[in-house]
């Protein structure tokens, strides 16, 4: 059976051994990776603004967001382990429409996301070292470092680096949450499901629930499970513990930033910008309130948050793209064992998509983001999670999945809730686009 420390040789991966492994903390890994990748600077800003606008009122919504994502990631991991097949192989079995959606998504999404991820990683570096070089060149440097790192390292090294960066994120966010001295009585009151008494409060609440940690990275979780060397049902208990750790970690990040927003911004009636620049503003506010050292410490955590999202997408989505190409080239069935062997990470499609994420987006850094492309990017991004939830319900309630590992009532309910939630957010996102200016 495959080792548990990363990619293994093909000969070992091929050995059949589905004996249940005892759930143990020492196996944890893919969950840390998906938590680090899924929580980007944008998620922290959204939660910070929620705390700034509503105090602790929506704390319950942030927690529900973590529970919803647990169900999605668990379902993706369960498909990989119970069938031995990859998620893209499952999608392909549902019809060619899934392939066309995936291709359109990863090509357009990857182009725009590449520029966004590089800029997000560059912002804290420019704030820390303002006189070294311009933001665009910091962004290019971040992209190239991510490219080289993922190109020359396999999953085991990738996981270790992600774990270190998550440790930095954890220390910084928890330190800030303690530093602002949260009102624990108000925080506990925020666990009651109450809507803010403001216009569009329902949609704002749904947006916070849906924005807690991850989009396509939830689908990549099953690939990271395989890359770890977990390829059969013997690892199911381990995977479920790993997944819970992932979203407990995500919950800590999000709740910590909600505390900061509620105490530092809401109480002082301070507004910050949406997007990554809101975190730069927060750095300035922290410098005024607590001194330069705290502000720089926060910027280090901001960089760790952004860079883990960058290299996580560079690795995870490239794995998925390599899987798509393998299917397109006529492979009848795509096995998790091939991911575990490291075969995908050495393939030309994996590296081609890495190059796509890195070099074409550099144009956007200097020329701005094309209006029509951004609209299509927003629509495709909004549609991905309803697509993921719907297809997982389909796959895990059909004969494609062994009977004992199919969805039970709780799994079906959680996935259905997730699907409906993301469908509402998708419709709102499409409705809000400036279509009159598109044509």
């Amino acid at each position: 059976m495959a080792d548990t420390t990363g990619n293994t040789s093909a000969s070992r991966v091929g050995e059949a051994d589905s004996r249940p492994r005892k759930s143990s903390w020492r196996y944890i890994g893919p969950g840390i990776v998906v938590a680090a990748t899924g929580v980007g600077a944008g998620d922290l800003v959204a939660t910070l603004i929620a705390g700034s606008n509503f105090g602790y009122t929506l704390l319950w919504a942030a927690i529900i967001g973590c529970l919803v994502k647990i169900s999605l990631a668990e379902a993706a991991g369960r498909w990989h382990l119970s069938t031995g097949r990859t998620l893209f192989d499952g999608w392909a079995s549902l019809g060619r429409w899934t392939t066309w959606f995936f291709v359109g998504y990863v090509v357009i999404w990857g182009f725009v996301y590449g520029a966004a991820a590089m800029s997000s990683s560059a912002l804290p570096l420019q704030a820390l070292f303002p006189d070294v070089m311009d933001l665009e060149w910091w962004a290019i440097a971040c992209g190239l470092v991510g490219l080289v790192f993922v190109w020359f390292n396999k999953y085991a090294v990738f996981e270790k680096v992600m774990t270190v960066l998550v440790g930095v994120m954890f220390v910084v966010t928890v330190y800030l949450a303690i530093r602002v001295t949260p009102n624990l009585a108000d925080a506990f009151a925020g666990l009651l499901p109450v809507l803010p008494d403001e216009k569009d409060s329902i949609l704002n609440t749904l947006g916070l629930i849906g924005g807690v940690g991850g989009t396509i990275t939830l689908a990549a979780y099953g690939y990271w499970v395989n890359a770890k060397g977990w390829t059969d049902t013997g690892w199911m208990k381990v995977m479920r513990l790993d997944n819970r750790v992932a979203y407990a970690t995500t919950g800590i990040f999000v709740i910590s930033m909600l505390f900061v927003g509620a105490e530092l911004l809401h109480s002082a009636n301070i507004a910050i910008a949406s997007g990554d620049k809101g975190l730069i503003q927060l750095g300035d506010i922290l410098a005024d309130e607590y001194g330069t050292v705290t502000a720089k410490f926060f910027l280090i955590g901001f960089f760790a948050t952004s860079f883990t999202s960058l290299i996580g997408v560079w690795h995870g989505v490239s794995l998925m793209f390599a899987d798509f190409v393998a299917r397109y080239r006529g492979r009848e069935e795509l096995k998790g064992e091939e991911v575990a062997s490291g075969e995908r990470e050495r393939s030309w499609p994996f590296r081609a998509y890495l190059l796509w994420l890195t070099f074409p987006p550099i144009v956007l850094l200097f020329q701005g983001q094309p209006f029509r492309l951004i609209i299509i990017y927003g629509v495709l991004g909004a549609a991905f999670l309803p697509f993921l939830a719907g297809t997982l319900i389909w796959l895990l309630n059909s004969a494609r999945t062994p009977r004992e590992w199919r969805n039970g009532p709780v799994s079906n309910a959680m996935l259905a809730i997730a699907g409906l939630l993301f469908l509402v957010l998708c419709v709102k996102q499409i409705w809000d686009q400036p279509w009159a200016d598109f044509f």
Side-chain angles (χ1 to χ4, degrees), residues 276-292:
D276 299 341
K277 291 185 179 178
L279 292 183
I280 296 296
Q281 286 182 266
L282 179 60
D284 295 337
I285 295 167
L286 288 169
D288 292 338
E289 290 287 329
Y290 303 114
T292 304

Side-chain angles (χ1 to χ4, degrees), residues 208-250:
L208 179 61
I209 294 172
V212 177
T215 52
I216 195 171
T217 55
L218 291 164
Y221 178 64
Y223 287 85
W224 284 323
V225 163
N226 287 159
K228 180 74 170 175
W230 307 345
T231 58
D232 57 45
T233 56
W235 295 102
M236 197 69 76
K237 287 184 178 180
V238 175
M239 181 275 293
R240 284 171 167 161
L241 173 64
D242 180 75
N243 180 43
R244 293 183 189 115
V245 169
Y247 283 94
T249 305
T250 299

